[in-house]
């Protein structure tokens, strides 16, 4: 016997082996459709008895294994079912002849056989036959199961007759010597009259009867026969058959202790209702040894009723601990025979399945380790794959996940061995995927975002490289890109500098043919591979939403009635939401963005690669508002420190916008990186309000700009300064040009003025204007220009100022201000004042509490009746400086509007 059955388990010793095979040309799909229906009839209750009969079906069985049927009867093919396709009567004789030829292959061991004919109708099909069943088609065969049950009953009749014939004590008859194929030549010329030979014949026959009793559902009787066989064979050192008797004893005991089965077929087997009562296990003493039974206790029916109750129940059944000891002993006997390698291997597998149920993993691993080193004949590549796969499954059963993954990986490599003419890359890839759990490896990048790495990184990287190569040989470049991207993203910290260069170069070669995407890849077996975003290329440490430039910032408008409207809401305590307030406070942003304006988000990034990293098509991912992201391209130095990167975009609608993440294109792989998946990220908030679009205004003047600032800016206002030098009584015109450079119309204009003196007692009215012509051009539409003229006239009163020249310092004319900042907002209060305002004499320099200023971009979420949009208010602040030039007095006037 050279072909091992790796699916063998202890309970298979009580089954009858039935082979189901096609005859002639039968469609594979149709054959397995019928085979599936046949295999459902795997156990039946024997009529007029409480015994159960179990059937094991195979659609392929090596004939040489059938020669070991006397050694272990469950290896003997006792039933043959053939399936054929015959459509015409003239083909029937040839079909029936093929059926007889098929029976001859297993003829020496067959109890009965059946032929199922599909497609033949007419006179031949109507003739009643016991060994042939005719069906019109594969879909019209309702009574297949019933015919199988009748067939199994016929097998049982033959089995029972053989059992009774072998178990009957025939005094004076010579017991034949049962032997395995390789022993036949050893018994040539052997003395058949010796006591040693006779004991061997008795012991082997007793073991054979035990097998038949076990198959016939007589568990108690089989235990007695096995015990007798063990004692007889041990006395003559018949080690091969002694091992078989011990293994039979173990199998019967396993069937008693584990009626659900050890081969993972729970639900497919029923507990032995009559073989051994349930109380037998309660009365059993752990460690009980086998007891020699007097052969006189046997009758033609098996065991004398007086002795079966005590012997069969309490003493003959091995304890769970003894089962393993007897398996070890049996295997030690098998190792003495090089031709019994298959028997030894299968015994190891059976013991491992028992130990897996007993949760004795370390002992099970010893059996498996022994099975690995059992030398069989030169196995084919397919047999090697099967062997390593079964070893992997057995290691998985006992909880040795990494060892299981190792043998599964060996099986995968065997699928593409150099000796195979057509390597099975798909099978190799499938087996490699099954090894991932054993190496603590998942193909979901989210499992690696928690910061703790599990498993051996070197082995994991090797396995991922093998997946990349296998998928490429399968002709699936998208799969190769996905696995290589996963390798680079999750194993970046474990790659050397040279490995980083090699992996990225390979990735660029793959993506040149098939770019990496964020789509979910579904494999044929249903496994889904999630996308792999490059959150580490580059690494983002912080995200900060930036306020608009000062000239574009929206600001709240003050009440036209001068009332200070409070926007604070009343404090309401709620213990339900108290724990969220800290987080909400940290996410709060106290500025707004404006529809249609360019908005900025600053990222602090880091390049972990030992070479320059080029990031293409980097942009923002948002939600809540329609947003146009303007992509950027980066080039980060090798292993750079924190590097600021500004991403920009334009909100197209209003509402609450949330920055969810960013997208990149690195090495040809497109990634959508969510901020929630970035560990250790610092942010000042990710949501901001977008308000409706506001007007833009650019202001220019006919006077030159000042070089210095009249007064410091408050930070949220725009100021521009121009200067002019006039003598007392001189007049000059200031022309101010207003250009609407935005997309919103400007509806109203308001101008106010204030005079601020450097000296408390020196002041005068310098400015005057008329807005009628200018207001006639309003509303000012986008792209239009309006002008208005301010008249500057110097009127200084020098009376009663005898000590003025002594009190004044020579300040010169070095008075200046900030450059003109444009464009900037122009939405202000709807109040027009055409008359300059002169402060009282007691006003001090810098006191602007009574001045109406233009506050740029005051439009926010203000819905009260005293808020008006699209207005312009210009507030002049003028400061006079007295310069002494001989007998004349000169005045330098600097104007500033806000």
């Amino acid at each position: 016997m050279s072909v091992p059955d790796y699916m063998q388990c202890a309970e298979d010793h009580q089954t009858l082996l039935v082979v189901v095979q096609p005859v002639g040309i039968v469609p594979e799909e149709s054959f397995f459709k019928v085979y599936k229906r046949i295999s459902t009839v795997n156990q039946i209750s024997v009529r007029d008895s409480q015994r159960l009969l179990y059937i094991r079906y195979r659609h392929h069985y090596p004939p040489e294994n059938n020669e070991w049927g006397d050694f272990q009867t469950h290896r003997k093919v006792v039933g043959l079912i053939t399936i054929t396709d015959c459509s015409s009567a003239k083909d029937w004789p040839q079909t029936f002849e093929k059926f007889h030829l098929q029976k001859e292959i297993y003829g020496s061991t067959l109890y009965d056989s059946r032929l199922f004919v599909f497609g033949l109708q007419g006179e031949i099909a109507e003739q009643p036959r016991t060994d042939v069943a005719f069906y019109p088609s594969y879909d019209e065969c309702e009574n297949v199961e019933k015919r199988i049950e009748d067939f199994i009953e016929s097998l049982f009749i033959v089995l029972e007759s053989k059992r009774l014939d072998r178990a009957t004590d025939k005094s004076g008859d010579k017991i034949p010597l049962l032997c395995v194929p390789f022993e036949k030549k050893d018994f040539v010329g052997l003395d058949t009259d010796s006591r040693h030979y006779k004991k061997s014949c008795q012991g082997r026959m007793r073991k054979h009867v035990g097998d038949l009793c076990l198959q016939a559902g007589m568990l108690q009787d089989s235990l007695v026969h096995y015990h007798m066989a063990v004692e007889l064979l041990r006395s003559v050192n018949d080690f091969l058959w002694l091992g078989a008797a011990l293994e039979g004893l173990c199998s019967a005991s396993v069937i008693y202790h584990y009626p659900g089965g050890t081969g993972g077929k729970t639900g497919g087997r029923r507990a032995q209702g009559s073989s051994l009562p349930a109380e037998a296990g309660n009365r059993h003493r752990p460690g009980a040894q086998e007891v020699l039974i007097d052969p006189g206790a046997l009758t033609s029916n098996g065991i004398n009723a007086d002795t079966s109750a005590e012997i069969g129940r309490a003493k003959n059944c091995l304890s769970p601990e003894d089962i393993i000891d007897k398996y070890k002993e049996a295997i030690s006997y098998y190792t003495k025979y090089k031709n019994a390698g298959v028997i030894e291997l299968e015994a190891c597998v059976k013991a491992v399945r028992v130990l897996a149920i007993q949760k004795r993993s370390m002992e099970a691993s010893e059996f498996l380790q022994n099975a690995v080193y059992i030398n069989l004949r030169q196995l084919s590549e397919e047999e090697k794959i099967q062997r390593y796969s079964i070893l992997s499954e057995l290691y998985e059963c006992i909880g040795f996940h990494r060892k299981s993954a190792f043998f599964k990986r060996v099986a995968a490599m065997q699928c593409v061995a150099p000796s195979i003419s057509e390597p099975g890359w798909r099978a190799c890839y499938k087996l490699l995927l099954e090894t991932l759990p054993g190496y603590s490896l998942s193909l979901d990048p989210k499992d690696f975002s928690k910061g703790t790495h599990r498993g051996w990184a070197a082995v994991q990287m090797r396995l991922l490289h093998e997946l990349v190569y296998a998928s490429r040989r399968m002709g699936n470049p998208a799969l190769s890109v996905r696995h290589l991207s996963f390798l680079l993203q999750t194993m970046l910290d474990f790659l050397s500098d040279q490995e980083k260069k090699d992996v990225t170069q390979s990735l660029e070669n793959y993506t040149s043919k098939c770019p990496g995407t964020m789509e979910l890849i579904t494999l044929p077996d249903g496994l889904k591979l999630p996308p792999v975003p490059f959150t580490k290329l580059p690494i983002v440490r912080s995200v900060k939403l930036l306020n608009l430039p000062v000239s574009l910032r929206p600001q709240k408008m003050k009440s036209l009635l001068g009332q200070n409207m409070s926007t604070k809401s009343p404090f309401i305590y709620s213990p339900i939401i108290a724990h969220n307030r800290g987080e909400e406070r940290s996410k709060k942003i106290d500025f707004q963005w404006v529809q249609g304006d360019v908005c900025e988000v600053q990222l602090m990034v880091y390049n972990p690669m030992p070479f320059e990293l080029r990031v293409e098509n980097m942009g923002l991912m948002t939600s809540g508002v329609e947003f146009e992201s303007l992509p950027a391209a980066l080039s980060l130095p090798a292993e750079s420190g924190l590097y600021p990167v500004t991403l920009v975009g334009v909100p197209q609608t209003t509402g609450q916008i949330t920055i969810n993440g960013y997208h990149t294109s690195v090495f040809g792989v497109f990634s959508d990186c969510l901020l929630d998946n970035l560990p250790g990220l610092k942010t000042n908030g990710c949501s901001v309000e977008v308000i409706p679009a506001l007007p833009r205004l650019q202001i220019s003047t006919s006077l030159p700009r000042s070089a210095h600032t009249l007064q410091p800016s408050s930070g949220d206002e725009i100021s521009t300064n121009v200067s002019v030098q006039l003598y007392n009584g001189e007049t000059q015109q200031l022309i101010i040009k207003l250009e609407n450079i935005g997309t919103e119309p400007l509806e109203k204009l308001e101008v106010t003025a204030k005079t601020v003196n450097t000296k408390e007692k020196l002041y005068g009215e310098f400015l005057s204007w008329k807005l009628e012509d200018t207001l006639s051009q309003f509303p000012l539409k986008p792209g239009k220009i309006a002008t208005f003229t301010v008249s500057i006239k110097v009127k200084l009163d020098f009376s009663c100022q005898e000590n003025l020249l002594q009190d004044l310092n020579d300040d010169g004319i070095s008075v200046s201000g900030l450059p003109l900042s444009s464009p900037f907002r122009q939405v202000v209060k709807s109040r027009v004042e055409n008359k300059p305002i002169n402060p009282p004499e007691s006003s001090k320099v810098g006191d602007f509490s009574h001045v109406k200023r233009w506050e740029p971009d005051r439009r926010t979420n203000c819905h009260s009746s005293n808020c008006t949009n699209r207005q312009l208010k210009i507030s002049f602040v003028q400061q006079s400086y007295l310069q002494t030039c001989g007998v004349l007095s000169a005045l330098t006037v600097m104007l500033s509007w806000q």
Side-chain angles (χ1 to χ4, degrees):
M1 185 167 55
S2 59
V3 181
D5 184 2
Y6 295 100
M7 302 306 295
Q8 281 271 320
C9 49
E11 54 268 23
D12 286 344
H13 282 249
Q14 69 174 345
T15 60
L16 297 176
L17 179 59
V18 175
V19 174
V20 183
Q21 290 183 336
V23 173
I25 301 176
V26 179
E28 183 178 355
E29 182 180 357
S30 300
F31 169 76
F32 281 103
K33 182 179 179 180
V34 178
Y35 177 81
K36 184 177 180 181
R37 294 184 59 180
I38 292 175
S39 60
T40 57
V41 188
N42 54 15
Q43 63 183 25
I44 65 170
S45 298
V46 180
R47 293 180 183 179
D48 302 327
S49 173
Q50 295 181 349
R51 286 185 279 173
L52 290 175
L53 204 62
Y54 294 94
I55 310 299
R56 188 171 88 258
Y57 295 95
R58 293 289 184 269
H59 56 78
H60 175 74
Y61 193 75
E64 60 268 20
N65 287 16
N66 197 39
E67 297 177 1
W68 288 68
D70 289 336
F71 181 73
Q72 290 175 328
T73 56
H74 72 283
R75 302 181 184 277
K76 183 187 301 184
V77 179
V78 298
L80 174 66
I81 300 175
T82 55
I83 299 173
T84 187
D85 209 349
C86 184
S87 56
S88 61
K90 65 179 182 179
D91 297 332
W92 168 244
Q94 184 179 3
T95 301
F96 195 70
E97 180 65 23
K98 291 180 180 179
F99 169 57
H100 281 284
L101 293 175
Q102 194 77 6
K103 287 197 300 182
E104 292 179 0
I105 299 176
Y106 308 103
S108 60
T109 61
L110 284 181
Y111 293 172
D112 201 355
S113 60
R114 291 289 186 273
L115 172 64
F116 288 177
V117 183
F118 292 89
L120 184 62
Q121 296 181 359
E123 183 180 352
I124 298 177
E126 294 175 356
Q127 296 177 0
R129 304 176 65 101
T130 57
D131 58 342
V132 181
F134 295 95
Y135 297 99
S137 66
Y138 291 102
D139 296 326
E140 301 179 23
C141 50
E142 293 80 6
N143 63 342
V144 166
E145 291 81 2
K146 181 62 173 61
R147 285 184 177 271
I148 297 299
E149 291 179 2
D150 296 339
F151 172 66
I152 294 175
E153 289 185 0
S154 68
L155 297 181
F156 173 73
I157 294 173
V158 179
L159 172 65
E160 188 70 4
S161 65
K162 288 182 176 292
R163 183 190 68 81
L164 293 174
D165 181 63
R166 300 288 176 89
T168 303
D169 184 12
K170 300 178 180 179
S171 302
D173 291 349
K174 192 172 183 179
I175 301 176
L177 178 67
L178 302 177
C179 60
V180 295
F182 72 86
E183 287 183 320
K184 293 180 180 179
K185 64 180 184 297
D186 298 333
F187 292 115
V188 177
L190 189 66
D191 184 8
T192 58
D193 295 329
S194 64
R195 183 178 178 84
H196 185 282
Y197 180 83
K198 291 181 179 180
K199 276 199 171 184
S200 293
C201 293
Q202 293 175 0
R204 294 187 180 192
M205 182 58 68
R206 194 55 57 197
K207 185 266 171 193
H208 181 66
V209 174
D211 288 346
L212 296 175
C213 290
L214 191 60
Q215 287 183 308
M218 302 177 66
L219 186 58
Q220 296 179 12
D221 296 53
S222 66
L223 286 168
V224 174
H225 285 290
Y226 285 137
H227 277 298
M228 294 173 59
V230 167
E231 292 302 321
L232 289 170
L233 296 170
R234 195 189 299 276
S235 64
V236 294
N237 293 332
D238 193 351
F239 295 120
L240 181 62
W241 285 78
L242 174 58
L246 289 171
E247 187 181 354
L249 185 61
C250 292
S251 299
S253 300
V254 168
I255 292 170
Y256 168 68
H257 286 292
Y258 310 106
T262 62
K265 305 174 184 178
T266 56
R269 305 178 65 88
R270 294 199 300 266
Q272 298 280 339
S274 61
S275 297
L276 283 178
E279 62 269 15
N282 299 331
R283 295 201 303 264
H284 177 69
R285 300 187 307 274
Q289 300 298 321
E290 65 272 16
V291 178
L292 181 62
I293 305 301
D294 184 3
L298 294 177
T299 65
S300 60
N301 292 327
I303 299 179
N304 187 286
D306 296 334
T307 60
S308 63
E310 179 64 23
I311 298 175
R313 297 175 189 173
K315 297 184 178 180
N316 291 329
C317 184
L318 300 176
S319 68
E321 294 79 10
D322 290 337
I323 291 174
I324 304 304
D325 293 337
K326 297 307 178 185
Y327 264 124
K328 290 180 180 180
E329 185 180 355
I331 292 172
S332 68
Y333 294 144
Y334 292 150
T335 57
K336 298 178 182 294
Y337 302 88
K338 64 178 182 179
N339 292 322
V342 173
I343 303 296
E344 179 186 357
L345 177 61
E346 292 181 356
C348 290
V349 172
K350 297 170 190 174
V352 169
R353 297 187 188 278
V354 176
L355 286 168
I357 293 181
Q358 296 179 357
K359 302 187 183 302
R360 298 161 64 180
S361 301
M362 293 304 298
E363 294 179 66
S365 67
E366 295 177 4
F367 280 93
L368 280 177
Q369 194 69 20
N370 180 65
V372 171
Y373 294 105
I374 295 177
N375 291 323
L376 302 177
R377 62 171 177 80
Q378 187 66 28
L379 299 178
S380 65
E381 300 300 334
E382 183 179 352
E383 290 173 334
K384 291 179 181 179
I385 295 171
Q386 183 187 19
R387 181 178 186 181
Y388 294 133
S389 298
I390 295 299
L391 287 173
S392 173
E393 293 179 6
L394 293 174
Y395 272 113
E396 184 71 23
C397 289
I398 64 176
F400 282 40
H401 304 296
R402 193 169 61 215
K403 198 82 167 181
S404 171
F406 169 78
F407 282 102
K408 188 80 71 173
R409 184 164 163 261
V410 173
M413 295 299 102
Q414 204 66 46
C415 293
V416 291
S419 58
I420 300 179
S421 58
E422 296 182 0
W425 287 105
R426 292 189 180 276
C428 173
Y429 179 81
K430 184 177 182 298
L431 289 173
L432 287 176
L433 286 180
E434 295 175 1
T435 66
L436 296 178
Y439 291 116
S440 301
L441 190 59
S442 165
L443 293 181
D444 191 348
K446 293 181 180 178
D447 296 337
F448 291 82
S449 61
K450 300 176 182 179
T452 57
H453 186 88
R454 296 177 62 246
W456 291 350
V459 179
Q460 292 172 344
M461 287 189 291
R462 177 66 180 271
L463 181 58
L464 289 174
H465 276 295
E466 292 170 352
L467 284 173
V468 172
Y469 188 74
S471 56
R472 183 176 71 84
R473 295 299 300 268
M474 285 167 52
N476 194 335
L479 206 54
S480 301
V481 171
R482 180 60 52 85
H483 289 311
L484 203 55
S485 302
F486 181 85
L487 169 63
L488 187 59
Q489 168 68 19
T490 58
M491 302 295 167
L492 186 63
D493 298 336
F494 304 99
L495 294 172
S496 64
D497 290 349
Q498 185 60 41
E499 288 174 336
K500 291 178 181 178
K501 294 178 182 178
D502 295 341
V503 171
T504 53
Q505 184 177 1
S506 300
L507 184 59
E508 288 179 328
N509 293 335
Y510 286 134
T511 54
S512 63
K513 303 176 183 178
C514 180
T517 64
M518 291 295 292
E519 297 179 358
L520 191 71
I521 297 180
T522 303
L523 300 179
D525 58 354
L527 180 64
K528 299 182 183 296
L529 298 183
V532 182
F534 278 159
T535 59
K536 293 185 178 180
L537 298 173
I539 298 174
V540 178
R541 295 300 187 192
S542 68
V543 176
K544 181 180 181 182
L545 277 64
L546 301 181
N547 199 352
L548 294 173
V550 177
S551 60
L552 301 179
R553 293 177 187 173
Q555 300 180 19
K556 285 186 177 295
M557 295 174 56
K558 294 181 180 180
S559 172
L560 295 179
L561 301 178
Q563 300 175 355
N564 186 15
M565 304 278 298
S566 175
T567 59
K568 296 181 179 180
S569 61
F571 172 77
I572 301 177
Y573 174 77
S574 174
I576 299 177
I577 62 173
H579 63 281
N580 293 328
R581 285 178 178 163
E583 182 180 357
E584 293 176 356
R585 189 181 302 111
S586 63
K587 297 294 183 180
K588 183 179 180 181
I589 295 181
D590 58 356
F591 57 81
Q592 295 84 26
W593 284 353
V594 180
Q595 175 187 0
D597 284 353
V598 177
C599 304
E600 299 177 336
V601 177
Q602 186 183 71
L603 280 65
M604 299 300 294
V605 301
Y606 168 72
N607 174 20
M609 306 301 283
F611 50 83
E612 184 181 18
L613 179 65
R614 293 188 56 83
V615 183
E616 302 176 355
N617 194 29
M618 189 173 187
L620 295 172
M621 296 171 57
T622 62
S623 63
V625 168
E626 183 180 346
F627 188 81
E628 179 186 0
S629 178
L630 305 179
L634 313 177
S635 182
L636 302 177
E639 296 181 347
S640 64
L642 288 180
Y643 191 86
V645 174
T646 302
L647 302 180
V648 300
V650 180
Q652 303 295 327
T653 57
T654 61
Q656 194 77 14
I657 186 172
T658 301
I659 305 300
N660 298 323
Y662 58 93
H663 58 81
T664 61
S665 176
V666 182
F667 305 126
V669 178
F670 296 93
S671 302
D672 292 339
C673 306
L674 300 178
L675 299 184
D676 293 340
N677 298 333
L678 302 181
L681 180 68
K682 296 181 180 179
T683 177
N684 66 333
C686 299
S687 297
V688 67
E689 183 183 8
V690 179
I691 64 173
L694 299 176
R696 282 188 179 184
L697 184 67
Q698 179 173 291
I699 300 179
S700 58
T701 177
S702 59
L703 294 180
R705 298 178 182 176
S706 300
H708 300 283
T709 305
L710 172 63
Q711 60 182 0
S713 175
S714 63
D716 57 356
E717 297 178 348
I718 305 300
S719 63
T720 303
N721 303 293
V722 296
S723 63
V724 63
Q725 181 177 352
L726 299 175
Y727 289 96
N728 191 19
E730 189 175 357
T731 302
Q732 185 166 340
Q733 303 294 323
L734 170 62
I735 300 177
I736 298 177
K737 183 170 66 173
L738 309 175
E739 181 180 0
N740 189 347
I741 62 173
T743 58
E744 299 293 323
L746 182 66
E747 297 178 351
K748 295 185 179 181
L749 174 66
E750 181 178 349
V751 180
T752 59
K754 176 188 176 183
T755 303
V756 179
N757 297 318
T758 56
K759 301 299 180 180
E760 295 182 4
K761 298 181 180 181
L762 181 64
Y763 65 92
E765 296 181 358
F766 304 123
L767 306 178
S768 62
W769 61 83
K770 293 183 179 181
L771 292 179
E772 287 78 6
D773 295 339
T774 303
L775 293 175
S776 64
Q777 305 177 46
F778 278 67
L780 191 63
K781 296 182 179 180
K784 300 298 182 179
I785 299 176
T787 61
F788 74 94
T789 303
V790 178
S791 177
I792 307 174
K793 185 176 182 181
V794 181
K795 294 181 181 182
L796 297 179
D797 185 4
F798 292 96
S799 61
C800 303
Q801 302 292 330
E802 294 84 357
N803 299 324
L804 177 62
L805 298 180
Q806 290 79 9
D807 297 337
L808 293 176
N809 294 321
D810 187 6
D811 294 328
I813 59 174
S814 302
V815 183
S816 61
L818 295 174
L820 182 66
S821 298
S822 63
F824 60 88
R825 301 290 177 199
Q826 49 203 324
V827 179
V828 295
K829 307 167 187 177
S830 58
R831 188 171 182 180
V832 181
E833 297 201 14
N834 299 327
K835 187 176 181 180
I837 299 177
N838 294 325
E841 185 174 343
S842 61
S843 299
K844 297 186 181 293
V845 178
D847 182 11
F848 302 105
S849 60
H850 61 288
V851 179
K852 302 181 180 65
R853 295 192 185 94
W854 172 59
E855 299 180 357
D857 224 3
R858 301 294 193 235
R859 178 180 173 187
T860 58
N861 292 340
C862 181
H863 302 287
S864 60
S865 60
N866 56 3
C867 292
T868 305
N869 298 327
R870 300 186 181 90
Q871 309 174 54
L872 175 64
K873 175 181 178 182
I874 299 180
S875 175
F876 291 103
V877 180
Q878 58 192 21
Q879 186 166 358
S880 58
Y881 291 84
L882 185 62
Q883 181 179 13
T884 58
C885 301
V887 296
L888 297 176
S889 296
L891 180 67
T892 298
V893 179
M894 187 175 70
L895 305 177
S896 173
W897 54 82
Q898 300 173 340

